[in-house]
Amino acid sequence: MDLSISDIEDKTTREVLHELIQYVITTDEEMAAKDTRSGGRTDLNIYLCDNQGYEIGDLETWITRLAEGDHITSYAESYVAEHTFSETTADDDISLVTIKTPAKNREDEFVFVTTNGYLWVLTTVHSDWRKKTIENLLEYLPCVERLYLSAEDLEELTGRVQDSRVSGFTAKYHAPNRDRDATLMFSGAEEDDLQTAEEAFDAKPTRIEFDQTNSPATAIQGSNTNEGRLTMRSVRKGSEAKAVETLLGLTEGYQELDRQSFEVKHPPERHELDSGFTVDGFTAVELTNPDRDEATTEELITDLEENVLNSNQYRYGVRDLGSKLRVYDTNHQETFDVALEPPDLILYARESTTALSLRDFVRDVYDNLDSTYSLSKSANPVAIQ
Amino acid sequence: MDEVTEGVRQRREVNAYNLFYSTVTDRAQPALHTHGVRIPMFFPVIEDRTADVTAEPDFVLYDGETCVLAEIKSGNNIEGRDIKQMRKCDAVDIETAEAALKDAQVRERLGYTGTVTAVEPVIVYQDLDEGYIEEAAEESTQFRDRVEELTNYAVLLTQDYGGQLRPLRGEFNESGNLQSLLRRGVELPQNPPDQIMLTEGMEHEILAIAIADVWGEKALDHDDGAEVSRTAVRDYFSPQHNVQPSDLDLVFEFLVEIGACEQVENHTYRFTRDRYDAVLDVEPQVMSESVEDYLHGSEQTSLTDEFE
């Protein structure tokens, strides 16, 4: 990506997207010739992050804090040591960030956009380098966190893309089961394949590719992952406007579905009254109906300890005679409770809980414990409207 | 069978409250909240000044019309004092209930007018069902008489984890929306959230957990932790709980001893993030051993036990 600040200055988000779409523009001939997705092409990627305090122009402050913080991990420390960072502000909510890797003589560019409590990072950097540069940065920045969708939500989101069909997917089955400890990765080329994988193996999609037509030929190829990343692989010349609309629609839909799953809209709050006090508000994220045998409470706790709570991120204590865990997420400095209703897990928000720790924990459960849980949330104000 | 410690008994009491509380949350079926039912008061003291009656139910449910005065029991043992409690609740008339709702600011907080059309006392036991009542009534006339007398004043209900809140004996005075919801029963979650961490008695064990919950967690929000004084804790739990300073001193001695907080000056304590591991340990610790035994040892009592 060879972008300069003048390309994004004084532009709206829509115009910036339009500018970046240029990098994936394909001619009619190229589009027609293309029946496979292989090859080292340039894709436009958008990382969608929950933003709890990043402001455009803040990068240097955050990097300094990362480099000098007391609680920094050795990974973050060597990451900061191996790269240099600069941010050029285009306006209040858009900037151009350059991450340099001196050892490899590389310079990679990213457009940061803050919008309504979210941070978007746009880039055309190749996947090999995205992990080393931007994905690490987003992981280490404490104030931002990539959005996350359950498999069901990912399918719903992709289903909302107009004039589109599923053209490929990656799905995963992962369930630790004393009888059947297996992880299977699936990939396929058609929507039917995905259904088959889900029905036969309970494999849940983590990435879905779609083709979008613009009367009548395929014009846009894109994909969604469940870890807050949207990709535009190619856009036929003339379909740029439609591609921008698709991206804006997906972004909005992604954010909405993430909020639906993880936002703590009704935290339990104590209200003091003349005659006593009340606890108002209730939020529970429910992980239910996994493809596993009924586990006992003790087995479920052991599974969580071995697969999810084993990192430095978590400290926890057993509560309620072994039927709940109180978990302290040291990254986000929040606590929440995990109620065990074997084989289901219920996450109850506490006063300090936000989407950050709930989302992180759920992602760990899917990745490391069991990808076959269904996710739902219930939340209501209890006394106060 | 495992010995039930004082801490475990208190936990069960708190759990009974939390289970009842969960009738209004979204994990109940139907969630009473969606039918307009709110809990404007916990542990209220409802006084009828003219009749000189004071009712002290655990919860008040209110849907804009009916006031349910609910007493929650963690066991299935119907005691004489339960009858006395419900007789007092039954003596609360509509005007008194309206006055109590006014004190609880329901108009400001819930937007309800505060009008009451019926007052319905209920008493909820855990581990109770039709079979048990029948059996116990057959075996003991005292039990039979108590059920009889109790249901003169209140509807007798049962609740269970992953089961139902539902009436077993007795009739509601009026037929309102809330009454018919309760009559049909509410499906409850298997493991409801800890919203309430208080018992009526505020014994050492539950007090230690409540303090660790409130201030231990508050400390996570601040780099330099959270300080709390004995006076501030007493004030926090008042007026419905009058926590004795001497009890608090003992509980704080325990919290300092296990490392959950440090004493910064006389009767003032500080919780910090790096002590949170110990805060997480408070509950399992008090479940296994009483605060008193932890501090002063149980040797003496166990010696006596052996000679008995």
Side-chain angles (χ1 to χ4, degrees):
Chain A
M1 187 160 78
D2 191 16
L3 207 61
S4 75
I5 189 73
S6 60
D7 295 330
I8 56 171
E9 228 161 12
D10 302 321
K11 288 204 162 94
T12 62
T13 309
R14 189 182 295 269
E15 288 163 344
V16 169
L17 286 174
H18 214 279
E19 189 67 41
L20 287 162
I21 290 280
Q22 304 305 321
Y23 289 86
V24 296
I25 285 294
T26 317
T27 62
D28 279 359
E29 296 74 42
E30 284 172 317
M31 203 69 170
K34 197 164 146 55
D35 44 8
T36 66
R37 285 173 179 262
S38 60
R41 290 186 41 89
T42 306
D43 299 345
L44 170 62
N45 283 281
I46 305 183
Y47 291 94
L48 303 176
C49 304
D50 188 354
N51 182 4
Q52 302 283 329
Y54 186 86
E55 285 179 33
I56 290 300
D58 268 1
L59 188 63
E60 196 178 324
T61 317
W62 283 108
I63 296 293
T64 309
R65 198 185 295 189
L66 268 187
E68 293 167 3
D70 294 336
H71 301 296
I72 189 165
T73 63
S74 56
Y75 296 111
E77 200 174 72
S78 60
Y79 171 76
V80 171
E82 283 162 17
H83 299 87
T84 68
F85 306 85
S86 70
E87 182 178 30
T88 315
T89 306
D91 62 35
D92 286 352
D93 43 8
I94 299 180
S95 67
L96 185 65
V97 169
T98 305
I99 303 179
K100 291 184 190 162
T101 315
K104 303 282 179 188
N105 195 21
R106 272 193 74 93
E107 201 172 311
D108 295 303
E109 286 160 329
F110 309 91
V111 177
F112 278 34
V113 179
T114 53
T115 163
N116 261 338
Y118 296 96
L119 171 73
W120 301 352
V121 175
L122 288 60
T123 185
T124 58
V125 172
H126 194 273
S127 61
D128 295 346
W129 280 94
R130 287 201 311 266
K131 173 93 194 91
K132 296 186 177 95
T133 55
I134 193 66
E135 290 187 13
N136 276 329
L137 179 64
L138 294 177
E139 193 184 323
Y140 298 140
L141 283 180
C143 54
V144 301
E145 189 180 83
R146 289 168 62 178
L147 301 190
Y148 188 82
L149 292 189
S150 67
E152 288 88 352
D153 281 349
L154 183 64
E155 286 181 75
E156 191 193 325
L157 178 71
T158 313
R160 290 185 192 179
V161 180
Q162 276 199 338
D163 313 323
S164 77
R165 61 175 203 88
V166 169
S167 55
F169 68 89
T170 309
K172 189 169 122 176
Y173 171 90
H174 175 73
N177 221 312
R178 262 150 296 279
D179 304 330
R180 187 159 53 116
D181 189 354
T183 302
L184 300 169
M185 290 295 291
F186 291 82
S187 49
E190 300 285 341
E191 191 160 15
D192 291 351
D193 298 343
L194 178 55
Q195 268 162 15
T196 309
E198 282 188 69
E199 280 159 20
F201 302 102
D202 216 354
K204 303 282 184 160
T206 56
R207 178 168 167 276
I208 301 179
E209 295 167 358
F210 61 87
D211 283 356
Q212 206 181 0
T213 53
N214 201 1
S215 61
T218 296
I220 295 165
Q221 295 183 314
S223 67
N224 296 319
T225 70
N226 67 334
E227 297 199 299
R229 184 162 59 88
L230 307 176
T231 303
M232 276 280 144
R233 183 159 184 81
S234 64
V235 174
R236 191 169 50 176
K237 207 165 173 45
S239 297
E240 295 93 329
K242 183 163 182 159
V244 169
E245 289 317 309
T246 298
L247 278 181
L248 287 171
L250 284 175
T251 312
E252 185 51 47
Y254 209 116
Q255 290 166 179
E256 175 199 318
L257 290 167
D258 176 88
R259 261 199 315 272
Q260 255 173 40
S261 295
F262 301 114
E263 186 189 24
V264 181
K265 210 170 165 189
H266 302 293
E269 282 174 4
R270 265 170 241 263
H271 296 274
E272 284 167 53
L273 307 168
D274 291 348
S275 68
F277 67 91
T278 62
V279 182
D280 300 325
F282 167 82
T283 303
V285 173
E286 303 171 28
L287 295 172
T288 54
N289 293 320
D291 171 40
R292 61 186 351 221
D293 298 335
E294 189 89 11
T296 65
T297 307
E298 294 75 25
E299 285 165 349
L300 201 48
I301 290 184
T302 309
D303 283 346
L304 282 171
E305 283 172 335
E306 284 174 3
N307 299 288
V308 180
L309 295 166
N310 52 357
S311 75
N312 288 333
Q313 180 174 0
Y314 296 114
R315 294 195 230 155
Y316 60 95
V318 174
R319 289 185 61 99
D320 198 0
L321 310 166
S323 68
K324 279 194 197 79
L325 296 173
R326 172 146 305 163
V327 178
Y328 174 43
D329 174 341
T330 61
N331 285 8
H332 302 110
Q333 284 162 5
E334 297 175 3
T335 57
F336 54 92
D337 285 345
V338 181
L340 307 157
E341 302 188 355
D344 299 344
L345 295 170
I346 313 298
L347 277 60
Y348 287 124
R350 303 268 307 153
E351 280 181 84
S352 67
T353 318
T354 71
L356 292 176
S357 54
L358 295 180
R359 186 194 290 117
D360 218 358
F361 188 86
V362 167
R363 182 169 46 211
D364 284 350
V365 168
Y366 277 120
D367 285 351
N368 304 320
L369 178 64
D370 193 328
S371 65
T372 66
Y373 276 111
S374 298
L375 184 148
S376 59
K377 188 177 78 175
S378 47
N380 64 288
V382 173
I384 290 184
Q385 293 282 20
Chain B
M1 208 179 114
D2 288 345
E3 189 194 348
V4 173
T5 65
E6 192 51 22
V8 170
R9 186 192 61 74
Q10 292 167 42
R11 189 25 138 153
R12 286 182 183 162
E13 209 173 314
V14 154
N15 283 358
Y17 295 140
N18 280 314
L19 185 59
F20 184 79
Y21 185 94
S22 75
T23 56
V24 295
T25 70
D26 269 357
R27 295 194 67 223
Q29 194 55 251
L32 292 184
H33 165 269
T34 57
H35 293 270
V37 181
R38 304 291 184 267
I39 302 179
M41 290 183 270
F42 286 153
F43 303 131
V45 178
I46 301 173
E47 268 181 292
D48 183 347
R49 290 164 195 94
T50 52
D52 197 25
V53 174
T54 304
E56 301 183 48
D58 296 325
F59 289 86
V60 174
L61 300 185
Y62 178 57
D63 67 350
E65 292 175 349
T66 300
C67 236
V68 167
L69 310 182
E71 181 68 29
I72 316 299
K73 302 292 176 193
S74 55
N76 58 12
N77 195 15
I78 300 176
E79 290 177 41
R81 72 182 194 107
D82 301 357
I83 295 169
K84 218 165 115 193
Q85 279 178 311
M86 295 328 288
R87 192 168 53 216
K88 286 181 177 173
C89 285
D90 194 42
V92 173
D93 60 17
I94 284 172
E95 288 74 29
T96 308
E98 284 182 344
L101 289 176
K102 196 170 172 226
D103 285 347
Q105 302 148 352
V106 292
R107 190 191 293 266
E108 296 83 338
R109 294 164 47 239
L110 309 180
Y112 285 148
T113 58
T115 309
V116 175
T117 57
V119 179
E120 301 276 8
V122 307
I123 184 159
V124 186
Y125 293 89
Q126 210 105 0
D127 305 327
L128 206 58
D129 59 29
E130 292 83 352
Y132 179 88
I133 290 186
E134 240 165 72
E135 218 169 280
E138 241 167 64
E139 276 171 24
S140 137
T141 44
Q142 193 200 32
F143 182 88
R144 197 166 56 220
D145 294 346
R146 280 186 175 171
V147 170
E148 184 93 355
E149 204 185 345
L150 187 63
T151 50
N152 283 335
Y153 306 120
V155 181
L156 173 64
L157 294 97
T158 185
Q159 63 174 7
D160 196 13
Y161 300 101
Q164 271 194 329
L165 171 77
R166 62 193 171 89
L168 289 174
R169 289 283 170 100
E171 286 295 325
F172 293 106
N173 301 319
E174 305 282 336
S175 57
N177 184 36
L178 182 45
Q179 287 90 335
S180 61
L181 284 166
L182 292 176
R183 208 175 290 128
R184 262 178 271 150
V186 179
E187 305 278 344
L188 300 174
Q190 192 184 328
N191 195 347
D194 284 344
Q195 302 268 52
I196 301 154
M197 289 309 291
L198 301 163
T199 56
E200 278 177 295
M202 289 300 262
E203 295 93 325
H204 297 144
E205 289 68 34
I206 211 72
L207 196 52
I209 297 176
I211 291 171
D213 272 11
V214 176
W215 287 279
E217 214 162 306
K218 207 171 271 182
L220 300 175
D221 294 337
H222 307 281
D223 286 335
D224 49 358
E227 262 182 38
V228 63
S229 68
R230 191 176 71 180
T231 315
V233 176
R234 294 194 67 209
D235 189 51
Y236 185 89
F237 293 120
S238 71
Q240 66 280 82
H241 297 285
N242 185 14
V243 185
Q244 293 306 310
S246 57
D247 288 334
L248 274 183
D249 287 343
L250 190 82
V251 167
F252 272 115
E253 188 187 335
F254 164 77
L255 291 173
V256 169
E257 193 68 33
I258 73 163
C261 60
E262 58 181 332
Q263 184 163 0
V264 284
E265 47 188 289
N266 230 355
H267 307 309
T268 303
Y269 306 85
R270 183 190 287 124
F271 291 85
T272 48
R273 261 179 225 149
D274 56 5
R275 292 180 178 276
Y276 198 67
D277 276 336
V279 170
L280 289 170
D281 272 342
V282 168
E283 174 161 334
Q285 174 55 44
V286 300
M287 288 298 122
S288 66
E289 188 182 14
S290 77
V291 167
E292 192 112 22
D293 284 351
Y294 179 84
L295 290 174
H296 305 128
S298 57
E299 293 85 359
Q300 255 179 333
T301 41
S302 53
L303 268 181
T304 330
D305 285 346
E306 267 174 46
F307 288 114
E308 267 173 4

